[in-house]
Amino acid sequence: MLPLSYKHLFECQHRGDIDQKVSLQNLEKLKQAFEEFERGGVRVLDMSNFRHIVKKCLGLHDINDEQIQELFMKIDYAGNGTIVWDEFCTYMQLEYMEIEESVSRSKQAALALPACIRSMCHGEPVLGIRATPDGTIVTVREEGTVYYWSSELQLKKSKTVFQQRPVNRKLKWATDFVVMPQYNKLIIATGEREIQFYELSSLEPYCQLSALETVPLRLDYCSTGPDECMILYGDAQGCVNIILITSVGDMLRLWKKLPMVENMPTIGIDGAALSPNVTHIRWKIHGDWVTQVKYSESMRAIISSSNHEPSALVIGCTRPTTNIEQTLREIREFCREGKTRKTQAGLGTPQQRPAGDQTVFSIYKGVKTFDLCKKQNLLVTGGMDRLIRMWNPYVPGKPIGYLSGHCSPIFYLSISPEDGRIFSVSMDNIIKIWDIQDQACLFTAHPKASLVHGDLSACFYSPSIKALYVATDCMALLPLRTRAQPRGRLIVSHREPVLCCGYSESFRQVVSCTEGSVVKVWDFDTGSQVFEFGGAHGVSAITCLTFDPKGRRLVTGGRDGSLKVWNFNNGQCLKIFQKESESTEVCDCTYLTVNRNTYIISVGWNRRIDIYFDSPEDPHHIQSPQPSWQDDLKYGHKEDILCVAQCPPSLLASGSYDGEIIVWNLVSGHLQCRFLTPLPTDCSHSEDVDRSASSLVFLRNRALNVDFISAACLVSSGAEGYVHFWNVLNGGKFLASFEASRLKYQVTKLAVTREEDCLYAADQAGFIFVYDIKTYALGPEQEAPKMLNYWRAHISSITCLQIVEDGHVLLTSSTDCTVRLWTVHGEFIGTFGQSESWSIHTPTSWKHPTIPYEILIDPLSMPAHSILEEEVSVSDVINSEQAEETRDPNDIKSDSSSKPRQPSLQITDTDIEEEIKSLSYPLKQGKWLRHEIFKNANKLPNHGGPKAYHTLKCFDIDDTSTICKKPDLSLAVIDPFLSSFADEGSAQS
């Protein structure tokens, strides 16, 4: 049976998917049932027979005939009305394979290569890499040089903290260091048996503990409570030393007043342990040097490791548990000595920790490095034998898994619990990322690719920055390469821009395709994901899609120049249509039927109308197009064709990048008429205007009615937000146009209702405008049609606009990675992929009256006001408002015809005060306008204001660093090609 994690990932909430409940035993029963029908002379099963055996063999009492019929239709993608056993098995196998691949795809991880390298001056090796709470990266070299780096490895500060010594004296050397952020201290262990404290900000000497029993090799620090801490160090004798300090601030200030030794106040460890605020505990744990020591707050235990096999890793308590005999012995010693020793008796011979107080892991060739994750209940160890062992920290007998793949000793391990991954680095500078659940390697970075060369000396993975830092003879930064994730309350349907989507009425499903060549199938009635498959066109983006006339097969077009036909319910590629010699991008495609034959028409960068004959009986998996029309070869488009629209029985229209529209006769292949998109009347820079025809739609009722032979029956998008109406039946001519996007953004998609009385226009800024065109363009030019409604549906360019569900629901998708449903009146139903499911026929389950959060906070959604555009000062606004109060109401004139106006609101004084507090006006050039008003949807009039202003207007363009520091800056309103240059200051208005 399919693994449980896969089943729940694609579980359909409104019904129990039959194909998800088929076990191996059920499969055998189904096979026997098919064979029984075959022995009876029935080689294929129709719907009624299939329903009978499914109910009989699966024994599912909670399924109905509609669910069985839906499964039958998924398998019978050609619509023949019958299926055979092989088709059933193929469907099930491919579905499970795609589900497994989609899960694997969701776990993909990689580091950005090559690494960002920062050279360092010649010197001793780097001991370690640590991070401060503010994200500063700290490194220390053996000779005592401390480096402070930014998270991007920009050097902020460096200083050698050890005092210069005479030539005849041996130089002091450091062994390890740790950050003490609560007290602004840096702790460094030295080879002269010292633990030194420095000011973290200035690196000035503060105090030191001296006369340790032996050299401290590994350090760790933990704050254990208010003004309490623990300092750990493992030494060269295999001992773990614990220094517990209470009233830490007072103790450090007291030590700072002690006599100086080499320019640093000094106290011996024995003298420090006499204080009631200091406890020194020393355990003999290992039979070799301590390689790593760490305190686990979650387990309240100390973990230490060494290369000694019998005691390779030990998890033990800090203090010994209560032992009556030991307590009596200490009381007798106290009475005899007359004082309390806070250190263990006989520091030169530390005691063994009781067996009941520790868990010992015996590991072949010992442990060089380890990491513990309480959230995953996982301990990982690595060492000289090149294996990464995974343990339950409470079960030392046997590992729960092995990760093999490194060819040299493991140097560093780190668990990322948020991602469920393990990062490992070996001595040959090979870096790997592992998946914890699958125990599989997700990514490998070799030195040739990462450019990390030299002897490895320190590593550190920062979960907050999601980056790996590696120190050799230089510093290297390898950030985790992740796709942009939604921030905060943002909900997305895909991880990359959605370039097209469509609705299958047969299955009541929505299919969306992305720039990353991923296809997702959504349940229209609930918004939940049903299925997903990737790599549909390799690494090429999917640019367009359409469904066959029966709605059971999906056709996708990609930037690789091919069309592919799919059974989209299991990811099976049924056919490939492509030209043999060309691989130019396909921009649009559509199905059409001529004389009972079905064809697929595609257009794109090859500037031709490509027609493919679609026959399920054709045995060829890869097919070439039909010969091109002669008129197309002689008189066709001279620029890339962006869109195509058809009007049965015989009309086809195509629009190109240069604004040319050609209407073709499908039966003869002749050119019927051609137009050139006009420029706006007020346009003074025609050479710079984008006049491309990016969307076409036929008014079919007019085209098929002889009463409208002189009326416009073709609508196209044009320059600067205009739409144009054309007559194509009476010789072809331009009739009318109007500005559909009041913000003058390019209209990307057009749609008309079934009755063709309303036109929906979507633009590059994500706005949707609705116009009454019932009587528009029936004759010569006339006034612009009435705008019935408008709202903002996305924060970026809209790539799909389709009216579905008998004209009551609007389907949209956008390059902002979302696919959404709206009512035709602009009520927000939901975003596909949101956690809460909806019921399409239950308005109370919709998101309405709220709207997407990112639309609320986007600058373009803000209400219009002159002060926001820095045209007037605050005093001018106040004076103008006072003048408004004294003006005679009869003198007020309406200017509502120029722009869509916001409806009046009932706003209380409390609402005004809250909005004033949450709004910061940009009174100076270069300041960012923070938009945090309208916390509730009912405070936002009509889903956002219509006033257009450039997103970068509030910035000083020369100060490009300001742009980089604003993660919530929306570049959706800028040309997509300009947005990629924003960080270099290349974005221009």
Side-chain angles (χ1 to χ4, degrees):
M1 205 167 182
L2 196 64
L4 192 63
S5 58
Y6 296 164
K7 288 178 62 178
H8 283 288
L9 183 64
F10 298 102
E11 189 178 42
C12 194
Q13 297 179 6
H14 78 296
R15 63 179 186 273
D17 286 349
I18 302 174
D19 44 350
Q20 298 291 338
K21 299 180 179 180
V22 179
S23 65
L24 184 59
Q25 184 179 6
N26 296 145
L27 207 59
E28 292 175 350
K29 292 181 180 179
L30 285 169
K31 182 181 180 182
Q32 293 173 3
F34 271 89
E35 290 175 348
E36 288 178 5
F37 274 98
E38 190 172 347
R39 285 193 295 268
V42 182
R43 301 185 60 87
V44 296
L45 297 185
D46 58 12
M47 179 60 210
S48 60
N49 289 331
F50 181 72
R51 183 190 306 115
H52 172 72
I53 68 170
V54 166
K55 289 185 175 181
K56 175 183 176 182
C57 298
L58 297 187
L60 302 175
H61 304 290
D62 57 341
I63 61 174
N64 53 46
D65 292 347
E66 293 179 357
Q67 297 171 19
I68 299 175
Q69 182 178 359
E70 181 175 336
L71 176 60
F72 183 88
M73 293 171 58
K74 291 178 180 179
I75 301 171
D76 179 30
Y77 57 82
N80 298 323
T82 58
I83 62 173
V84 297
W85 171 248
D86 289 345
E87 292 176 336
F88 179 85
C89 289
T90 300
Y91 173 83
M92 299 295 291
Q93 181 184 7
L94 291 176
E95 183 187 30
Y96 287 177
M97 287 175 57
E98 289 296 342
I99 290 176
E100 186 172 355
E101 287 183 10
S102 65
V103 173
S104 300
R105 187 165 50 250
S106 67
K107 295 181 178 181
Q108 287 178 355
L111 296 171
L113 300 178
C116 175
I117 304 294
R118 294 288 183 262
S119 59
M120 303 172 68
C121 58
H122 294 289
E124 298 299 325
V126 173
L127 295 173
I129 307 172
R130 308 272 185 173
T132 61
D134 65 354
T136 300
I137 304 300
V138 184
T139 62
V140 177
R141 283 180 147 178
E142 277 190 9
E143 77 275 8
T145 304
V146 181
Y147 295 86
Y148 285 175
W149 311 82
S150 69
S151 58
E152 293 82 20
L153 278 190
Q154 300 295 329
L155 184 61
K156 299 165 66 174
K157 180 180 182 181
S158 66
K159 181 179 181 181
T160 300
V161 295
F162 292 158
Q163 187 180 15
Q164 291 291 332
R165 288 182 168 182
V167 178
N168 58 350
R169 287 200 61 186
K170 184 179 179 181
L171 295 178
K172 183 176 291 190
W173 50 281
T175 58
D176 200 6
F177 79 99
V178 72
V179 177
M180 194 180 187
Q182 290 82 3
Y183 303 95
N184 193 35
K185 298 294 183 289
L186 180 71
I187 307 175
I188 298 179
T190 73
E192 297 186 354
R193 301 186 299 162
E194 300 164 337
I195 294 179
Q196 299 184 335
F197 297 82
Y198 293 87
E199 291 285 1
L200 187 60
S201 54
S202 63
L203 294 177
E204 292 296 324
Y206 195 84
C207 63
Q208 68 178 355
L209 293 173
S210 64
L212 306 181
E213 293 74 21
T214 185
V215 176
L217 300 178
R218 292 290 179 262
L219 274 178
D220 195 25
Y221 163 84
C222 180
S223 176
T224 56
D227 209 18
E228 296 180 0
C229 75
M230 174 190 300
I231 299 174
L232 305 174
Y233 65 92
D235 60 31
Q237 295 180 357
C239 296
V240 173
N241 299 263
I242 307 162
I243 303 175
L244 302 173
I245 308 175
T246 58
S247 301
V248 182
D250 293 338
M251 291 305 302
L252 291 177
R253 286 189 289 271
L254 178 62
W255 292 348
K256 184 175 174 58
K257 299 176 182 178
L258 295 174
M260 295 277 195
V261 176
E262 290 189 345
N263 197 35
M264 183 172 282
T266 304
I267 184 173
I269 186 65
D270 289 340
L274 295 177
S275 168
N277 294 326
V278 179
T279 302
H280 181 206
I281 304 171
R282 190 165 187 240
W283 296 114
K284 173 63 177 177
I285 304 296
H286 303 282
D288 200 350
W289 290 6
V290 176
T291 57
Q292 188 177 347
V293 64
K294 180 184 290 187
Y295 178 73
S296 171
E297 288 187 84
S298 58
M299 296 181 67
R300 296 187 177 275
I302 296 171
I303 311 171
S304 58
S305 63
S306 76
N307 290 324
H308 183 235
E309 289 187 20
S311 59
L313 185 133
V314 178
I315 303 176
C317 60
T318 305
R319 298 175 182 267
T321 55
T322 304
N323 186 305
I324 297 178
E325 293 183 1
Q326 178 68 19
T327 304
L328 292 173
R329 189 181 304 114
E330 291 178 356
I331 293 174
R332 287 194 294 268
E333 291 177 357
F334 169 77
C335 295
R336 183 170 56 253
E337 297 180 10
K339 63 179 180 179
T340 301
R341 289 184 59 87
K342 298 295 295 297
T343 59
Q344 291 181 338
L347 287 175
T349 56
Q351 293 185 352
Q352 296 283 344
R353 187 189 277 141
D357 289 351
Q358 64 184 19
T359 303
V360 180
F361 294 75
S362 179
I363 302 172
Y364 178 65
K365 290 192 176 182
V367 172
K368 166 70 176 173
T369 179
F370 67 85
D371 197 16
L372 174 72
C373 175
K374 184 63 177 177
K375 180 180 179 180
Q376 300 277 350
N377 195 34
L378 178 66
L379 171 71
V380 291
T381 61
M384 297 298 294
D385 67 345
R386 308 184 300 278
L387 286 177
I388 300 174
R389 291 174 172 84
M390 305 170 68
W391 307 81
N392 182 322
Y394 301 100
V395 183
K398 185 179 180 180
I400 61 176
Y402 295 87
L403 303 178
S404 59
H406 282 288
C407 300
S408 64
I410 310 298
F411 179 82
Y412 176 78
L413 289 172
S414 178
I415 301 174
S416 176
E418 297 82 8
D419 306 320
R421 296 168 184 160
I422 300 171
F423 293 81
S424 64
V425 185
S426 56
M427 295 295 294
D428 55 1
N429 295 335
I430 289 180
I431 303 166
K432 288 182 178 288
I433 304 176
W434 309 82
D435 180 71
I436 294 176
Q437 182 178 5
D438 296 341
Q439 298 184 12
C441 182
L442 303 176
F443 176 78
T444 300
H446 294 273
K448 287 185 178 180
S450 65
L451 301 183
V452 178
H453 301 287
D455 294 332
L456 199 60
S457 60
C459 297
F460 174 72
Y461 175 73
S462 172
S464 59
I465 304 173
K466 291 189 179 297
L468 180 68
Y469 297 87
V470 179
T472 54
D473 51 2
C474 59
M475 287 292 295
L477 167 63
L478 296 103
L480 193 63
R481 190 173 63 202
T482 57
R483 294 170 179 170
Q485 297 295 323
R487 295 177 289 106
R489 307 176 224 183
L490 306 189
I491 300 170
V492 295
S493 308
H494 289 265
R495 293 187 177 183
E496 54 271 327
V498 182
L499 301 186
C500 55
C501 74
Y503 173 66
S504 170
E505 188 174 355
S506 300
F507 296 111
R508 295 185 64 81
Q509 291 175 341
V510 170
V511 179
S512 56
C513 305
T514 71
E515 197 173 66
S517 203
V518 174
V519 179
K520 285 189 178 182
V521 183
W522 308 90
D523 179 31
F524 176 80
D525 292 304
T526 65
S528 59
Q529 183 175 328
V530 178
F531 191 67
E532 170 189 348
F533 60 96
H537 286 256
V539 296
S540 300
I542 303 173
T543 54
C544 58
L545 65 81
T546 186
F547 294 94
D548 72 347
K550 296 180 181 179
R552 301 191 188 183
R553 292 180 297 157
L554 171 73
V555 180
T556 59
R559 287 182 182 159
D560 59 353
S562 68
L563 292 170
K564 293 187 178 183
V565 184
W566 305 89
N567 182 346
F568 57 91
N569 284 291
N570 69 343
Q572 180 184 6
C573 182
L574 306 174
K575 278 186 183 178
I576 299 176
F577 298 113
Q578 64 182 17
K579 286 192 171 183
E580 296 180 358
S581 59
E582 294 184 9
S583 59
T584 53
E585 177 175 331
V586 176
C587 295
D588 200 3
C589 61
T590 184
Y591 253 100
L592 61 91
T593 302
V594 179
N595 298 328
R596 298 184 180 180
N597 294 322
T598 56
Y599 299 89
I600 302 173
I601 288 185
S602 71
V603 296
W605 288 9
N606 66 351
R607 306 174 184 178
R608 291 288 171 263
I609 308 294
D610 293 323
I611 304 176
Y612 299 90
F613 179 62
D614 177 44
S615 173
E617 290 78 21
D618 194 320
H620 298 92
H621 184 67
I622 301 178
Q623 293 181 218
S624 299
Q626 304 288 314
S628 297
W629 295 327
Q630 289 300 312
D631 280 13
D632 188 18
L633 295 175
K634 295 179 181 179
Y635 315 114
H637 289 279
K638 303 300 186 294
E639 274 292 344
D640 303 339
I641 306 177
L642 304 181
C643 58
V644 65
Q646 60 159 317
C647 178
S650 60
L651 293 181
L652 180 78
S654 56
S656 61
Y657 180 75
D658 57 0
E660 187 177 45
I661 300 170
I662 299 179
V663 181
W664 309 86
N665 187 306
L666 282 172
V667 178
S668 64
H670 291 157
L671 188 153
Q672 183 160 321
C673 54
R674 68 193 312 158
F675 316 105
L676 183 63
T677 302
L679 292 173
T681 55
D682 58 347
C683 180
S684 60
H685 49 287
S686 59
E687 65 280 356
D688 299 328
V689 175
D690 179 9
R691 63 195 301 173
S692 60
S694 56
S695 183
L696 296 169
V697 61
F698 273 102
L699 303 177
R700 298 186 180 185
N701 294 339
R702 295 187 184 184
L704 299 177
N705 193 333
V706 294
D707 295 336
F708 295 99
I709 193 170
S710 300
C713 58
L714 178 66
V715 186
S716 69
S717 62
E720 296 187 350
Y722 274 80
V723 295
H724 308 286
F725 287 71
W726 312 87
N727 172 266
V728 300
L729 301 177
N730 195 19
K733 63 178 179 179
F734 169 77
L735 285 186
S737 68
F738 68 92
E739 188 182 64
S741 172
R742 296 301 177 91
L743 309 178
K744 292 186 179 296
Y745 282 97
Q746 189 85 4
V747 172
T748 57
K749 292 295 174 182
L750 296 169
V752 293
T753 56
R754 181 180 299 175
E755 296 78 13
E756 296 178 358
D757 55 351
C758 291
L759 172 71
Y760 287 75
D763 66 15
Q764 288 182 336
F767 282 90
I768 296 176
F769 298 88
V770 187
Y771 292 91
D772 180 5
I773 60 167
K774 187 174 182 179
T775 59
Y776 184 70
L778 295 178
E781 287 191 21
Q782 52 191 289
E783 292 184 0
K786 179 183 179 182
M787 186 178 68
L788 303 176
N789 194 10
Y790 83 102
W791 71 93
R792 196 174 189 193
H794 298 272
I795 60 170
S796 187
S797 179
I798 293 178
T799 57
C800 172
L801 183 68
Q802 184 178 355
I803 302 173
V804 298
E805 190 64 4
D806 296 327
H808 298 296
V809 178
L810 195 66
L811 172 66
T812 64
S813 66
S814 168
T815 54
D816 64 5
C817 306
T818 60
V819 183
R820 291 184 173 132
L821 281 186
W822 311 79
T823 68
V824 290
H825 306 296
E827 297 168 330
F828 180 39
I829 297 176
T831 301
F832 287 97
Q834 66 185 34
S835 57
E836 312 90 359
S837 62
W838 65 70
S839 174
I840 199 68
H841 300 295
T842 309
T844 55
S845 67
W846 302 348
K847 287 289 187 179
H848 180 77
T850 63
I851 65 171
Y853 175 73
E854 60 268 36
I855 293 177
L856 285 174
I857 65 174
D858 190 80
L860 198 60
S861 301
M862 295 184 64
H865 201 291
S866 57
I867 195 171
L868 302 182
E869 300 182 350
E870 302 178 315
E871 297 173 355
V872 296
S873 65
V874 177
S875 60
D876 293 337
V877 174
I878 296 174
N879 295 334
S880 65
E881 290 177 351
Q882 292 175 350
E884 287 286 340
E885 294 176 357
T886 58
R887 183 187 301 178
D888 188 347
N890 298 324
D891 295 337
I892 299 177
K893 297 182 180 180
S894 174
D895 60 350
S896 58
S897 59
S898 60
K899 298 176 184 176
R901 305 296 298 174
Q902 306 290 352
S904 59
L905 293 177
Q906 297 296 327
I907 302 178
T908 65
D909 293 341
T910 305
D911 293 334
I912 296 174
E913 292 175 2
E914 291 178 354
E915 291 179 4
I916 292 175
K917 291 179 181 178
S918 60
L919 189 62
S920 174
Y921 292 110
L923 301 180
K924 293 183 179 179
Q925 184 75 2
K927 286 191 177 180
W928 173 240
L929 179 60
R930 305 293 297 176
H931 178 55
E932 294 294 337
I933 62 175
F934 305 130
K935 298 297 182 182
N936 300 308
N938 58 2
K939 289 186 182 181
L940 184 64
N942 205 18
H943 300 180
K947 188 67 177 178
Y949 61 89
H950 200 286
T951 306
L952 299 180
K953 184 177 179 65
C954 296
F955 284 103
D956 181 357
I957 299 302
D958 294 331
D959 184 14
T960 57
S961 62
T962 307
I963 301 176
C964 302
K965 293 177 182 177
K966 303 300 177 185
D968 54 351
L969 172 62
S970 171
L971 295 175
V973 297
I974 311 173
D975 188 305
F977 294 102
L978 292 181
S979 64
S980 61
F981 300 110
D983 289 345
E984 288 130 22
S986 301
Q988 298 180 2
S989 176

